Amino acid sequence: MYLVLLGPPGAGKGTQAALLARNQNIVHISTGDMLREAVKAGTELGQEAQQYMDRGELVPDDVVVGITRERLNAPDAHRGFVLDGFPRTAPQAEQLDGILEELDMQLHLIVNLEVPERELIRRMTGRRVCPNCGKTYHLVFHPPRSLGTCDECGTDLVQRDDDKESTVRQRLEVYRKQTEPLVHYYAESGLLLNLEGTGTVDQVYERLEKFLK
Ligand code: AMP
């Protein structure tokens, strides 16, 4: 199964994509995760991407298309994939069509996760991550056992720079301008599923699974 998860930042794409990947035995391809790994590793690509990410802006298309193309070319992607956070602009969507055509793959479904803006802000500004092991928490929905420290490794939790409220608002504006138009692009393909993304993680996944069945 070849899937795309669309939706604003904070809609739960990463969480739902991880569940889908595990349950459907397909690969989870997150451009945000790949870029964060490059930043952490201090590669040239990471250094270029970081300035955009910290400001809540999109990393240039050629950079993101390049890493996604490489990942889709890996043999395990043929088994099935869920794309999380890509495409995010019209040129990315067009280039994705070209890459998939070259690889003789066709998208089966585009899921658009819908969540009201107020809820998105609440979700993102409450998010905390462990800088050591990468585990994520939420101050309200999924707090750590001991305030401010990671359950797994005891490291002090941090807020991602791009989860700070001013950056979150900037990311939402970028989404409205550059990514939301893709909903119309995919609606024309007849493969678009608009899915309510509110409620618990399990509730959203159940909705999605019901549709997949
Ligand atoms: P995410 O974890 O998907 O919210 O992505 C975090 C940040 O990585 C975004 O705010 C962008 O700066 C960058 N990013 C991730 N995916 C893309 C993409 N497809 N195009 C451009 N920038 C991206």
Side-chain angles (χ1 to χ4, degrees):
M1 187 166 39
Y2 303 139
L3 289 173
V4 168
L5 274 187
L6 275 185
K13 297 187 297 295
T15 308
Q16 296 300 326
L19 284 172
L20 266 173
R22 200 178 61 206
N23 295 336
Q24 305 281 333
N25 193 27
I26 56 179
V27 294
H28 175 188
I29 302 180
S30 158
T31 42
D33 284 351
M34 289 194 283
L35 292 168
R36 277 185 289 277
E37 269 161 35
V39 169
K40 207 169 158 194
T43 62
E44 207 175 305
L45 184 146
Q47 284 171 17
E48 187 190 348
Q50 185 168 25
Q51 1 160 3
Y52 297 97
M53 295 169 79
D54 286 350
R55 288 198 298 260
E57 292 169 8
L58 293 184
V59 173
D61 287 337
D62 56 340
V63 175
V64 186
V65 169
I67 56 172
T68 308
R69 178 194 298 277
E70 208 171 294
R71 186 65 190 88
L72 285 170
N73 262 296
D76 63 348
H78 269 270
R79 194 174 70 218
F81 61 76
V82 49
L83 276 175
D84 153 20
F86 182 93
R88 258 179 157 99
T89 64
Q92 288 181 19
E94 284 155 17
Q95 297 211 49
L96 175 64
D97 288 345
I99 295 169
L100 293 178
E101 206 176 306
E102 276 165 31
L103 294 170
D104 205 17
M105 292 168 163
Q106 268 184 342
L107 289 178
H108 295 115
L109 185 66
I110 294 97
V111 180
N112 177 36
L113 279 178
E114 297 180 306
V115 177
E117 185 147 324
R118 230 182 38 188
E119 175 69 12
L120 294 171
I121 292 171
R122 208 160 73 105
R123 286 183 182 185
M124 283 191 282
T125 54
R127 194 150 64 182
R128 296 292 180 274
V129 295
C130 172
N132 181 42
C133 72
K135 199 167 160 37
T136 58
Y137 299 87
H138 192 281
L139 297 179
V140 181
F141 307 120
H142 176 42
R145 282 194 296 271
S146 156
L147 194 73
T149 55
C150 179
D151 292 349
E152 302 292 325
C153 64
T155 307
D156 284 348
L157 300 178
V158 297
Q159 187 176 39
R160 262 167 53 180
D161 277 340
D162 59 352
D163 282 340
K164 306 225 157 96
E165 183 159 345
S166 58
T167 319
V168 161
R169 289 188 183 279
Q170 163 69 11
R171 289 169 72 195
L172 286 170
E173 199 182 315
V174 167
Y175 168 77
R176 301 277 174 236
K177 275 203 194 122
Q178 303 201 57
T179 310
E180 204 168 47
L182 293 186
V183 174
H184 309 292
Y185 177 84
Y186 284 121
E188 282 173 13
S189 72
L191 299 173
L192 183 75
L193 168 70
N194 286 313
L195 193 78
E196 192 190 325
T198 51
T200 65
V201 169
D202 290 345
Q203 283 167 339
V204 178
Y205 190 71
E206 260 171 45
R207 265 176 229 142
L208 179 55
E209 217 174 28
K210 212 185 263 177
F211 182 85
L212 293 178
K213 275 185 188 146

